[in-house]
Amino acid sequence: MLSVQRQVHDAIAGAVRRHYGVADVPPFAVEVPPNRALGDLAVTVAFQLARTLRKAPRAIAQELAGALGDLPGISRVVAAPNGYLNLYLDRPSFLLARLRGDVAAALAPLEKTIVEHTAINPNKAAHIGHLRNAALGDTLARVLRFSGAPVEVQNYIDDLGVQVADIIVGFRELEHQTLDDVRRIAETTRFDYHCWDLYSRVTEWYEGDSARLTVRAAALHDLEHGAGDTAAIGAFIVDRIVRAHLKTMARLNIEYDLLTYEGDILRLQFWAHAFEILKAQGAVFLQTEGRLAGCWVMRIEEDGGESAATDESGDAREKVIVRSNGVVTYVGKDIANQFWKLGLLGRDFRYRLFSRQVDGRPLWATTSEASDPAAPPFGHARRIYNVIDSRQMYLQALLSQALRTLGHPQEAENSVHFSYEMVALSHATARELGYRIAPESEEARKPFVEVSGRRGLGVKVDDLLDLLIEKASSEVGKRNPEFPDAERRRVAAQIAVAAIRYFMLKYSRSKLIVFDIEEALSFEGETGPYLQYAVVRANNILLKLHEREGLTEADVVGALDAANAGEIIGANQVDQDDPHSLWAVVLEASRLEETVDQVVRTLEFSVLAKFAFGLAQTFNAFYHRYSILNEEQVEKKRWRAAGVAYFRAQLTRALDLMGIEVPSRM
RNA sequence: GCGCCCGUAGCUCAGCUGGAUAGAGCGUUGGCCUCCGAAGCCAAAGGCCGCAGGUUCGAAUCCUGCCGGGCGCGCCA
């Protein structure tokens, strides 16, 4: 069964063709009116036709209202004086169809989709900047799965990068420690936190004498060549930190399918292979003159691909892919990775089982050793999303450009840079973290303080979660003194996750988030816990209905009688268009599916967040006006209970898309 | 200099492919727990939607220019 909107649209388009003999009906919207008094759906077709028909919208609307006849699922059509067509749904059958599962969402074609997110440098603990990335990426994967796509979630691990080299330098040069020492530290400390502090000390150490950067270069070289202690220490650190990141993310209900290691891209000659392809197609060339002489470079095109971009001096801009010393840059390695994801490289990784995640889902990792024969197929995606902040726009554009140059325009089109703005700190929060800013400095005049892993300035994800859990735990304890400790902790953790994940999703992705602890710690108003609370209330009602009267949800639905549907129609109310009525809750709840469609189309999760919040608000208002358990008239009570059941189901699904669980009680 | 993003209520933000009186949270003020849980509900106050043009029957929304702020433009990643 198609959505009501679709049916209405097609029926009206048909009526326009018949009544006016218009072959091409102009596009028109079936939208939601601004308030209940204007019906359940509104159609703008009369405005679109006004010009071609040379008639007032009002007259057209009136003629159409008369010509439409019976529409499926619609009980009444009204032509508004201003030209809108306002439609009233057949409310009882609308709710019944949904409760009985007769309305199936139209699924998108099954395109294998890869979402890459998180990709934190494995040399320190995760901070809130990383959290925004992971929360967006995980929600993207959930939303795509909801709409029917098979999704593979990848987490890219830059195990051979400068940041890893830096932390190795920290252990060796600053702490004079060996691999065994590092192992011991990992066993006896909070290792990711230890590295967090050490990393900022290394940064200071470099700043103390720029000659020390040669130490970094040497470490990086050894790391890339798998040489000696450096490589061994690096591998150990990376493994420990990656596991710490995974543990942190698991607390937030974020899981992955595959860890892609940069080291394997090198060892398995992915880059060498991609390089051959790039050279053969002329996508890269050896620069022989100027400051980039000796480098293999890629010309940077304007977004249309027509004219070449130029720099300040008017020269064509070129991006170095292979340095004059023969070492490939990050961009080169990433091009190879993207080719592989799309099945264009002609090579594959080998795979090992890395761990089992909380719900038993296996986590695989790439390897250069023998492959586990049990590994499922990875890669070969039709569509890929790279969740990376907007600062990397240029590099992402280069990847698309490379695909186009190599004759893969479709793949370029299907490679999406899921871009979002960064997370910064409010001055108050930076101060709370012990960061001092000189009063008259340039930094003090800025509206925010930039997070910097390099300087050790940022809110660690685990610290934030711990704070939230502590606060939630005390709130839960106040309201539920009978809870055993374990239950209180479990619920507090669910509330903390809801608070932080909702906070990360409620802003549109083009908005820079100025993170403020005080604000993030709130459980009231537009927050995750508010949403959970609404569902918990609905759960309690249905639970009590079962306890007191032995009625299950199926019993309630089964006993609904359309002949006695006055409650949902609104016939019993003084104001039939009460914006806080049962019907308002049901209609709003039914908009989840179209909201998800919109989210997939726009990749904007604030839409989903606002929808869920608005739905919870509508329910709360209804809840305060109408009693359910204490309603004496049995038909009213049944319809209300049925509406509550539908609301609960829909908001629970919406929360699940945001990675938020519903506590038993809170 | 070039590119991208932001500018809507005191603060933080929604406003979908243009459409009906511009919305929410926080904060402020005032109400509501013998009744399904007050992490809640109701009400009030608060807005030349940065500015100026343009397109349109209709612009917070689309186009152009300007102003203010942020980010990016490396043989770093």
Side-chain angles (χ1 to χ4, degrees), chain A residues 387-460:
Chain A
V387 181
I388 309 177
D389 77 58
S390 63
R391 288 174 290 191
Q392 298 211 37
M393 190 181 50
Y394 261 108
L395 299 176
Q396 286 292 307
L398 272 181
L399 296 178
S400 292
Q401 188 190 312
L403 286 167
R404 276 194 304 272
T405 307
L406 297 181
H408 301 293
Q410 191 59 52
E411 284 78 1
E413 190 69 23
N414 289 343
S415 301
V416 180
H417 174 201
F418 184 102
S419 169
Y420 62 94
E421 279 291 332
M422 61 175 177
V423 182
L425 303 173
S426 71
H427 280 280
T429 295
R431 219 175 300 123
E432 238 178 285
L433 290 167
Y435 189 68
R436 297 283 166 256
I437 296 172
E440 295 302 318
S441 65
E442 192 182 336
E443 197 171 12
R445 279 193 294 273
K446 279 197 171 188
F448 53 79
V449 183
E450 196 170 343
V451 170
S452 169
R454 215 168 269 283
R455 286 184 297 167
L457 176 60
V459 177
K460 298 187 200 73

Side-chain angles (χ1 to χ4, degrees), chain A residues 534-547:
Chain A
V535 183
V536 167
R537 273 180 157 169
N539 276 338
N540 280 344
I541 291 170
L542 296 171
L543 215 63
K544 288 198 167 135
L545 194 65
H546 185 62
E547 279 171 12

